[in-house]
């Protein structure tokens, strides 16, 4: 599993985005905040609910300067077919990356090793320098929440821009932060 603070490994893949096929690479993650959002497969059950939830919150992510890259081991052609036939996936405006060889899933250590060649439900928040700042992995039957992810993005961005401050549990934008120091030890 990649560690918090580790650099994203090199990759290059084909993707479906805004009605076109494009090439994406690890270089596209540099210079802005990014979410790499792995899911097991197109045309499934929990996956479209997650991708639709991200689509419903995509403008908020963009306002925070965050680009979303959804990734499965399906081909980019399959992403287009799913986008064209599913009302939920039809809402998706972010990049849908095809990883049929499983290279990206292996780089992030979310490729399931049971012969299925599917990816775990893995979420990775990448800072503008290409370093991983947040990791979430859930079991196949447990969907993720875009609202909760937005809270993590805001906290990570706050901490990155406010050295010496940290965000406590349940922190929301505008809440009080902490400045770790000797006088706080044992008083929280």
């Amino acid at each position: 599993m990649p560690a918090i603070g580790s650099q994203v490994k090199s990759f290059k893949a084909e993707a479906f985005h805004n009605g076109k096929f494009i090439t994406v690479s690890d270089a596209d993650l540099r210079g802005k905040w990014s979410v790499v959002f792995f899911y097991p497969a197109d045309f499934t059950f929990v996956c479209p609910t997650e991708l639709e939830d991200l689509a419903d919150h995509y403008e908020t992510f963009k306002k925070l300067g965050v680009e979303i890259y959804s990734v499965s081991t399906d081909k980019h052609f399959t992403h287009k077919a799913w986008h064209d036939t599913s009302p939920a996936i039809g809402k998706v405006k972010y990049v849908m990356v095809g990883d049929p060889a499983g290279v990206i899933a292996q780089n992030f250590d979310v490729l399931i090793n049971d012969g299925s060649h599917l990816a775990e439900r893995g979420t990775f928040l990448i800072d503008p320098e290409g370093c991983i700042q947040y990791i979430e992995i859930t079991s196949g039957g447990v969907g993720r929440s875009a609202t909760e992810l937005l809270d993590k993005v805001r906290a990570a961005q706050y901490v990155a821009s406010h050295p010496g401050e940290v965000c406590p549990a349940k922190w929301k934008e505008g809440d009080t932060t902490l400045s770790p120091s000797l006088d706080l030890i044992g008083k929280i």
Side-chain angles (χ1 to χ4, degrees):
M1 178 65 61
I4 298 294
S6 66
Q7 287 284 315
V8 171
K9 292 181 181 178
S10 178
F11 71 86
K12 186 175 183 181
E14 298 305 310
F16 177 71
H17 185 229
N18 289 332
K20 297 178 182 170
F21 295 129
I22 62 169
T23 301
V24 296
S25 73
D26 56 293
D28 292 305
L29 306 180
R30 307 256 186 229
K32 63 182 174 301
W33 288 85
S34 302
V35 168
V36 179
F37 194 86
F38 290 92
Y39 62 96
D42 293 2
F43 295 100
T44 55
F45 311 102
V46 176
C47 301
T49 66
E50 293 181 310
L51 273 61
E52 180 180 30
D53 190 29
L54 282 173
D56 289 343
H57 292 85
Y58 184 51
E59 287 306 313
T60 304
F61 281 100
K62 289 195 61 100
K63 286 178 187 171
L64 293 171
V66 178
E67 187 54 67
I68 295 173
Y69 299 88
S70 65
V71 184
S72 79
T73 55
D74 295 293
K75 292 185 175 186
H76 57 293
F77 300 115
T78 310
H79 294 333
K80 181 190 182 320
W82 196 25
H83 189 274
D84 291 350
T85 58
S86 167
I89 302 307
K91 295 179 178 181
V92 171
K93 304 283 188 239
Y94 49 82
V95 179
M96 299 179 75
V97 182
D99 186 26
V103 171
I104 306 168
Q106 285 176 333
N107 284 354
F108 283 86
D109 199 22
V110 294
L111 190 65
I112 299 171
N113 293 319
D114 66 358
S116 66
H117 195 67
L118 300 175
E120 299 280 4
R121 292 188 194 290
T123 308
F124 297 83
L125 176 61
I126 316 297
D127 71 18
E129 287 75 43
C131 294
I132 297 170
Q133 295 300 323
Y134 172 77
I135 300 170
E136 177 185 22
I137 308 289
T138 67
S139 66
V142 178
R144 296 159 284 177
S145 165
T147 304
E148 291 174 7
L149 180 55
L150 280 166
D151 287 343
K152 301 300 183 192
V153 167
R154 288 181 180 111
Q157 288 180 336
Y158 184 91
V159 169
S161 64
H162 295 85
E165 293 184 49
V166 295
C167 297
K170 300 187 279 184
W171 183 86
K172 302 277 188 204
E173 190 172 34
D175 287 354
T176 302
T177 58
L178 300 171
S179 296
S181 64
L182 286 174
D183 30 324
L184 281 184
I185 297 173
K187 296 180 181 161
I188 297 175

